[in-house]
Amino acid sequence: IIEFPFFRFIAMSLRSTSTWDAPKKFSTAGGMGAALLDDPQRAADIVRSIRSALPSHISVSAKIRLLKDTPSTIDFVRTLVSAGASSITVHARTVGMKEQDEALLERLRPVIDSVKQYGGVEAVVNGDLYNREDMARVVEMSGADSVMVARPALYNTSIFRCKEDGGMLSKQEVIKEYVEECVRWQAHHKNAKYVIAEMMTNRRAPKSLLRSLPHNYPGNQTISKVCACHSISDLCKLWNVQMSMERWTKLLDIKPQTTTEHKYEDAYLLRLEKNDFGSSNRIQAEAILSKRPRIKDKEDEQKCK
C-alpha cells in the first residue's frame, strides 16, 4: 500500500486481509472470492470470526469490487465495517469486468465517503494506477487514504520509488536488477523467464492505456530472446548483468532444480512478436491476448524451454 501524502510503501504490516474481488472460476465455483459479494451475511461472518480470533492490535482488512450499483456497494461496505473490518479496499471494477477493461474510477467517491463516515476505518482504492501522478489524482478524486497496486507493479516495480530517490527507473534497469536478484537467490530460470516476459508485455493492461506503457530496450532484448535462454547465466548475458568470475563460477556450478510435471507454454507471449512487436500492430495484438493456455504440443514446449 502506498500512503499519501508521504508516499510511504508498507512492505510488511500487522494485518489480516480477506479478498473478495477475485472473479476467477476456481474461486467463485467454491463460493469464494467475488462470489461472496452476493452473500453479505457470510462475508460479515468471516470478518467477524477473524476479528474475534485476532489480538486487537492486528487490523482486519477486506478487499472488494464494485457491486452492480453504488447503493449496493455502500451497503456491503457498511456490513463489513459493522462486522469488524478496520480497512476497506475498493477495486474500481465490477465482477463481470476483465483486467483489460478500464477501471470505473468515477464510481469510487461515494463508496469511499461511506467508509470514512466510520472514524478510524482506512479507505483504500485500486485500479489502473500506473504512476504516481495517477495515484495522486485518484486519491484526490476519491478521497481515499491510500492506494493499492498490482499489475502496475509488474509493469515497472520502481513505481514505489519517490521523486527524492530519482523517481521511476527505465524498464531496462528494472529487469536488469531483477536478474541480479535471481542470481542472488538462485531462482529457477523458467520462473525468471516467465516474470521477465510478463514485464515485457502489456497483455494485462486496459486497452486505453497501451499507448502510454512503452517497452523500449536499448539492448534490443525481446521476449523471443528471453524464451531462448536456458539458464540464469543466459539471462545475465542477455541483460548485460556483470558479475565477478567467482560469482559466475558459483552460478555455473549450480545444479538444475527439479520442476514439476505441471508445464505451460510461452507461445502466447511469442505471438505478440509475430504481430510486429515494435509497431502499432502490437497494441491490437496485446489487447486480444488475456489467457495463458496449457501446452498443446511438444513443438511449442521445445521452442520456449
Side-chain angles (χ1 to χ4, degrees):
I1 298 174
I2 299 179
E3 294 188 347
F4 291 86
F6 305 107
F7 294 100
R8 181 163 61 91
F9 173 56
I10 302 177
M12 296 181 66
S13 62
L14 293 176
R15 171 173 297 182
S16 175
T17 303
S18 297
T19 302
W20 300 318
D21 77 324
K24 300 297 184 182
K25 286 185 178 179
F26 64 80
S27 293
T28 57
M32 301 176 289
L36 285 168
L37 295 176
D38 292 326
D39 194 347
Q41 185 57 54
R42 190 150 67 99
D45 289 343
I46 292 173
V47 171
R48 195 173 293 108
S49 296
I50 295 174
R51 176 68 282 164
S52 63
L54 294 175
S56 59
H57 68 279
I58 298 181
S59 65
V60 176
S61 62
K63 182 170 183 281
I64 68 170
R65 286 198 172 207
L66 294 169
L67 275 70
K68 60 182 180 179
D69 54 51
T70 298
S72 299
T73 308
I74 292 176
D75 287 344
F76 195 88
V77 165
R78 288 173 176 167
T79 299
L80 297 179
V81 174
S82 298
S86 50
S87 175
I88 302 291
T89 299
V90 183
H91 182 178
R93 288 183 172 86
T94 60
V95 175
M97 296 177 67
K98 297 182 180 299
E99 53 198 3
Q100 292 86 5
D101 297 326
E102 191 171 354
L104 304 175
L105 300 174
E106 68 281 357
R107 284 189 55 185
L108 288 172
R109 185 75 200 205
V111 179
I112 297 304
D113 285 345
S114 71
V115 175
K116 303 193 76 173
Q117 289 178 358
Y118 299 87
V121 178
E122 181 186 31
V124 186
V125 292
N126 168 238
D128 297 347
L129 306 175
Y130 280 86
N131 55 58
R132 288 180 173 271
E133 290 73 22
D134 288 342
M135 296 176 193
R137 175 178 57 82
V138 173
V139 163
E140 182 177 2
M141 177 180 72
S142 66
D145 297 307
S146 56
V147 304
M148 179 181 292
V149 297
R151 288 175 290 111
L154 182 58
Y155 172 75
N156 191 324
T157 56
S158 67
I159 192 174
F160 301 113
R161 284 167 55 97
C162 61
K163 291 182 179 179
E164 291 73 16
D165 294 329
M168 291 177 67
L169 301 173
S170 69
K171 296 277 292 186
Q172 177 94 2
E173 293 175 284
V174 169
I175 296 178
K176 183 176 179 179
E177 185 174 334
Y178 171 72
V179 175
E180 291 173 349
E181 291 300 313
C182 288
V183 174
R184 177 186 178 191
W185 298 104
Q186 299 183 16
H188 195 286
H189 73 280
K190 291 185 179 181
N191 291 338
K193 284 164 53 176
Y194 174 72
V195 172
I196 293 172
E198 287 287 357
M199 289 181 178
M200 295 178 72
T201 179
N202 293 338
R203 75 186 185 95
R204 299 179 187 273
K207 301 174 186 178
S208 60
L209 298 179
L210 293 182
R211 294 185 184 277
S212 63
L213 301 174
H215 290 272
N216 301 315
Y217 304 102
N220 295 320
Q221 293 91 346
T222 64
I223 292 176
S224 295
K225 291 179 181 179
V226 171
C227 286
C229 292
H230 299 282
S231 64
I232 294 293
S233 298
D234 289 343
L235 289 171
C236 287
K237 293 174 184 176
L238 178 62
W239 293 97
N240 194 30
V241 173
Q242 303 295 328
M243 292 184 292
S244 64
M245 183 57 67
E246 179 183 2
R247 199 171 184 187
W248 268 112
T249 302
K250 289 182 178 180
L251 177 63
L252 294 172
D253 286 343
I254 296 174
K255 296 181 180 179
Q257 301 177 38
T258 58
T259 58
T260 64
E261 295 181 359
H262 195 83
K263 299 179 180 179
Y264 293 89
E265 65 173 52
D266 291 325
Y268 76 106
L269 287 168
L270 291 172
R271 283 198 296 272
L272 293 175
E273 294 186 322
K274 291 181 180 179
N275 286 274
D276 191 2
F277 201 73
S279 74
S280 60
N281 288 339
R282 168 188 167 193
I283 296 175
Q284 182 179 1
E286 291 192 44
I288 296 173
L289 300 177
S290 61
K291 189 174 182 180
R292 191 180 189 207
R294 295 287 186 92
I295 288 178
K296 295 180 180 179
D297 54 56
K298 291 186 178 181
E299 181 181 352
D300 282 333
E301 180 181 0
Q302 293 298 323
K303 189 187 301 181
C304 297
K305 277 187 175 181

Short mmCIF file of all heavy atoms in Angstrom, two decimals, residues 252-280:
data_model
loop_
_atom_site.label_atom_id
_atom_site.label_comp_id
_atom_site.label_asym_id
_atom_site.label_seq_id
_atom_site.Cartn_x
_atom_site.Cartn_y
_atom_site.Cartn_z
N LEU A 252 27.47 -21.10 -12.41
CA LEU A 252 27.53 -22.18 -13.38
C LEU A 252 27.59 -23.55 -12.72
O LEU A 252 27.23 -24.56 -13.32
CB LEU A 252 28.76 -21.99 -14.29
CG LEU A 252 28.71 -20.76 -15.20
CD1 LEU A 252 30.05 -20.57 -15.90
CD2 LEU A 252 27.59 -20.89 -16.22
N ASP A 253 28.03 -23.57 -11.45
CA ASP A 253 28.12 -24.85 -10.73
C ASP A 253 26.79 -25.27 -10.11
O ASP A 253 26.65 -26.40 -9.65
CB ASP A 253 29.17 -24.75 -9.61
CG ASP A 253 30.59 -24.76 -10.16
OD1 ASP A 253 30.75 -25.15 -11.33
OD2 ASP A 253 31.51 -24.34 -9.44
N ILE A 254 25.82 -24.37 -10.11
CA ILE A 254 24.53 -24.69 -9.51
C ILE A 254 23.83 -25.77 -10.33
O ILE A 254 23.69 -25.65 -11.54
CB ILE A 254 23.63 -23.44 -9.43
CG1 ILE A 254 24.27 -22.40 -8.49
CG2 ILE A 254 22.24 -23.80 -8.95
CD1 ILE A 254 23.53 -21.09 -8.45
N LYS A 255 23.40 -26.81 -9.66
CA LYS A 255 22.71 -27.89 -10.37
C LYS A 255 21.29 -27.47 -10.71
O LYS A 255 20.63 -26.78 -9.92
CB LYS A 255 22.69 -29.15 -9.50
CG LYS A 255 24.08 -29.72 -9.22
CD LYS A 255 23.99 -30.98 -8.37
CE LYS A 255 25.37 -31.54 -8.11
NZ LYS A 255 25.31 -32.76 -7.26
N PRO A 256 20.79 -27.87 -11.88
CA PRO A 256 19.42 -27.51 -12.27
C PRO A 256 18.42 -28.00 -11.23
O PRO A 256 18.52 -29.10 -10.71
CB PRO A 256 19.23 -28.25 -13.60
CG PRO A 256 20.62 -28.46 -14.12
CD PRO A 256 21.47 -28.67 -12.91
N GLN A 257 17.46 -27.16 -10.90
CA GLN A 257 16.45 -27.52 -9.93
C GLN A 257 15.37 -28.37 -10.59
O GLN A 257 15.06 -28.21 -11.76
CB GLN A 257 15.82 -26.27 -9.34
CG GLN A 257 16.83 -25.36 -8.65
CD GLN A 257 16.17 -24.09 -8.14
OE1 GLN A 257 15.04 -24.13 -7.67
NE2 GLN A 257 16.86 -22.97 -8.25
N THR A 258 14.84 -29.29 -9.83
CA THR A 258 13.79 -30.14 -10.37
C THR A 258 12.50 -29.35 -10.54
O THR A 258 12.22 -28.42 -9.78
CB THR A 258 13.52 -31.33 -9.42
OG1 THR A 258 13.15 -30.82 -8.14
CG2 THR A 258 14.76 -32.20 -9.30
N THR A 259 11.74 -29.66 -11.54
CA THR A 259 10.47 -28.97 -11.79
C THR A 259 9.35 -29.98 -11.76
O THR A 259 9.55 -31.18 -11.93
CB THR A 259 10.49 -28.27 -13.16
OG1 THR A 259 10.74 -29.24 -14.18
CG2 THR A 259 11.57 -27.22 -13.22
N THR A 260 8.16 -29.51 -11.55
CA THR A 260 7.00 -30.39 -11.52
C THR A 260 6.57 -30.74 -12.94
O THR A 260 7.06 -30.17 -13.92
CB THR A 260 5.83 -29.71 -10.80
OG1 THR A 260 5.43 -28.56 -11.56
CG2 THR A 260 6.24 -29.25 -9.40
N GLU A 261 5.63 -31.66 -13.07
CA GLU A 261 5.14 -32.05 -14.38
C GLU A 261 4.13 -31.04 -14.92
O GLU A 261 3.71 -31.14 -16.07
CB GLU A 261 4.51 -33.44 -14.30
CG GLU A 261 5.50 -34.54 -13.95
CD GLU A 261 4.84 -35.91 -13.92
OE1 GLU A 261 3.61 -35.96 -14.15
OE2 GLU A 261 5.52 -36.90 -13.67
N HIS A 262 3.75 -30.08 -14.07
CA HIS A 262 2.77 -29.09 -14.49
C HIS A 262 3.48 -28.03 -15.32
O HIS A 262 4.19 -27.18 -14.80
CB HIS A 262 2.13 -28.45 -13.26
CG HIS A 262 0.87 -27.70 -13.57
ND1 HIS A 262 -0.34 -28.31 -13.68
CD2 HIS A 262 0.66 -26.40 -13.82
CE1 HIS A 262 -1.27 -27.42 -13.95
NE2 HIS A 262 -0.68 -26.24 -14.05
N LYS A 263 3.32 -28.08 -16.63
CA LYS A 263 4.05 -27.18 -17.53
C LYS A 263 3.10 -26.34 -18.37
O LYS A 263 1.99 -26.74 -18.67
CB LYS A 263 4.97 -27.99 -18.46
CG LYS A 263 6.02 -28.80 -17.73
CD LYS A 263 6.86 -29.59 -18.71
CE LYS A 263 7.92 -30.42 -17.98
NZ LYS A 263 8.73 -31.21 -18.93
N TYR A 264 3.60 -25.17 -18.75
CA TYR A 264 2.85 -24.27 -19.62
C TYR A 264 3.73 -23.86 -20.79
O TYR A 264 4.95 -23.93 -20.73
CB TYR A 264 2.42 -23.01 -18.87
CG TYR A 264 1.40 -23.24 -17.78
CD1 TYR A 264 1.78 -23.55 -16.48
CD2 TYR A 264 0.05 -23.15 -18.06
CE1 TYR A 264 0.85 -23.75 -15.48
CE2 TYR A 264 -0.90 -23.35 -17.06
CZ TYR A 264 -0.49 -23.65 -15.79
OH TYR A 264 -1.42 -23.84 -14.80
N GLU A 265 3.10 -23.39 -21.82
CA GLU A 265 3.85 -22.86 -22.96
C GLU A 265 4.05 -21.36 -22.82
O GLU A 265 3.32 -20.69 -22.08
CB GLU A 265 3.10 -23.13 -24.26
CG GLU A 265 1.77 -22.40 -24.35
CD GLU A 265 1.11 -22.55 -25.71
OE1 GLU A 265 0.96 -23.68 -26.16
OE2 GLU A 265 0.78 -21.52 -26.30
N ASP A 266 5.02 -20.81 -23.51
CA ASP A 266 5.22 -19.38 -23.57
C ASP A 266 4.82 -18.83 -24.94
O ASP A 266 5.06 -17.66 -25.24
CB ASP A 266 6.69 -19.03 -23.32
CG ASP A 266 7.08 -19.30 -21.88
OD1 ASP A 266 6.24 -19.09 -20.99
OD2 ASP A 266 8.22 -19.72 -21.64
N ALA A 267 4.21 -19.66 -25.76
CA ALA A 267 3.86 -19.26 -27.11
C ALA A 267 2.88 -18.10 -27.13
O ALA A 267 2.86 -17.31 -28.07
CB ALA A 267 3.29 -20.45 -27.88
N TYR A 268 2.06 -17.98 -26.09
CA TYR A 268 1.10 -16.88 -26.05
C TYR A 268 1.81 -15.54 -26.01
O TYR A 268 1.28 -14.53 -26.47
CB TYR A 268 0.16 -17.03 -24.86
CG TYR A 268 0.77 -16.67 -23.53
CD1 TYR A 268 0.42 -15.50 -22.89
CD2 TYR A 268 1.69 -17.51 -22.92
CE1 TYR A 268 0.97 -15.17 -21.67
CE2 TYR A 268 2.24 -17.19 -21.71
CZ TYR A 268 1.89 -16.02 -21.08
OH TYR A 268 2.45 -15.71 -19.88
N LEU A 269 3.04 -15.50 -25.44
CA LEU A 269 3.81 -14.27 -25.44
C LEU A 269 4.56 -14.09 -26.75
O LEU A 269 4.67 -12.98 -27.27
CB LEU A 269 4.82 -14.30 -24.28
CG LEU A 269 4.22 -14.11 -22.89
CD1 LEU A 269 5.24 -14.45 -21.83
CD2 LEU A 269 3.72 -12.69 -22.72
N LEU A 270 5.06 -15.18 -27.31
CA LEU A 270 5.79 -15.10 -28.57
C LEU A 270 4.90 -14.61 -29.71
O LEU A 270 5.37 -13.98 -30.65
CB LEU A 270 6.38 -16.47 -28.92
CG LEU A 270 7.51 -16.95 -28.01
CD1 LEU A 270 7.87 -18.39 -28.32
CD2 LEU A 270 8.73 -16.05 -28.15
N ARG A 271 3.61 -14.89 -29.62
CA ARG A 271 2.69 -14.46 -30.68
C ARG A 271 2.65 -12.95 -30.81
O ARG A 271 2.35 -12.40 -31.87
CB ARG A 271 1.28 -15.01 -30.43
CG ARG A 271 1.13 -16.48 -30.77
CD ARG A 271 -0.35 -16.84 -30.92
NE ARG A 271 -1.08 -16.70 -29.68
CZ ARG A 271 -1.19 -17.66 -28.77
NH1 ARG A 271 -0.60 -18.83 -28.97
NH2 ARG A 271 -1.89 -17.46 -27.67
N LEU A 272 2.96 -12.24 -29.72
CA LEU A 272 2.98 -10.79 -29.78
C LEU A 272 4.04 -10.30 -30.76
O LEU A 272 3.82 -9.36 -31.52
CB LEU A 272 3.28 -10.20 -28.40
CG LEU A 272 2.21 -10.41 -27.32
CD1 LEU A 272 2.72 -9.89 -26.00
CD2 LEU A 272 0.93 -9.72 -27.70
N GLU A 273 5.20 -10.95 -30.74
CA GLU A 273 6.28 -10.52 -31.62
C GLU A 273 6.01 -10.88 -33.08
O GLU A 273 6.50 -10.24 -33.99
CB GLU A 273 7.59 -11.14 -31.15
CG GLU A 273 8.00 -10.60 -29.79
CD GLU A 273 9.37 -11.07 -29.34
OE1 GLU A 273 9.71 -12.23 -29.60
OE2 GLU A 273 10.08 -10.27 -28.74
N LYS A 274 5.20 -11.90 -33.30
CA LYS A 274 4.83 -12.24 -34.67
C LYS A 274 3.93 -11.17 -35.28
O LYS A 274 3.79 -11.09 -36.49
CB LYS A 274 4.11 -13.59 -34.70
CG LYS A 274 5.02 -14.77 -34.37
CD LYS A 274 4.25 -16.08 -34.45
CE LYS A 274 5.15 -17.26 -34.11
NZ LYS A 274 4.41 -18.54 -34.15
N ASN A 275 3.33 -10.33 -34.41
CA ASN A 275 2.48 -9.24 -34.88
C ASN A 275 3.22 -7.92 -34.87
O ASN A 275 2.66 -6.87 -34.58
CB ASN A 275 1.23 -9.15 -34.00
CG ASN A 275 0.26 -10.27 -34.27
OD1 ASN A 275 -0.57 -10.18 -35.16
ND2 ASN A 275 0.37 -11.34 -33.50
N ASP A 276 4.54 -7.98 -35.17
CA ASP A 276 5.36 -6.77 -35.24
C ASP A 276 5.40 -6.09 -33.88
O ASP A 276 4.70 -5.11 -33.63
CB ASP A 276 4.85 -5.81 -36.31
CG ASP A 276 5.84 -4.67 -36.58
OD1 ASP A 276 6.93 -4.67 -35.97
OD2 ASP A 276 5.52 -3.81 -37.38
N PHE A 277 6.25 -6.59 -33.00
CA PHE A 277 6.27 -6.17 -31.60
C PHE A 277 6.52 -4.69 -31.40
O PHE A 277 6.11 -4.11 -30.42
CB PHE A 277 7.34 -6.98 -30.87
CG PHE A 277 7.15 -7.04 -29.40
CD1 PHE A 277 6.15 -7.82 -28.86
CD2 PHE A 277 7.95 -6.30 -28.55
CE1 PHE A 277 5.96 -7.88 -27.49
CE2 PHE A 277 7.77 -6.36 -27.19
CZ PHE A 277 6.78 -7.16 -26.66
N GLY A 278 7.20 -4.05 -32.35
CA GLY A 278 7.54 -2.66 -32.14
C GLY A 278 6.61 -1.68 -32.82
O GLY A 278 6.85 -0.48 -32.81
N SER A 279 5.53 -2.12 -33.41
CA SER A 279 4.67 -1.19 -34.13
C SER A 279 3.28 -1.12 -33.51
O SER A 279 3.00 -1.73 -32.49
CB SER A 279 4.54 -1.64 -35.59
OG SER A 279 3.70 -2.78 -35.67
N SER A 280 2.40 -0.37 -34.17
CA SER A 280 1.04 -0.21 -33.65
C SER A 280 0.27 -1.52 -33.70
O SER A 280 -0.72 -1.68 -33.00
CB SER A 280 0.30 0.86 -34.46
OG SER A 280 0.23 0.48 -35.83
#
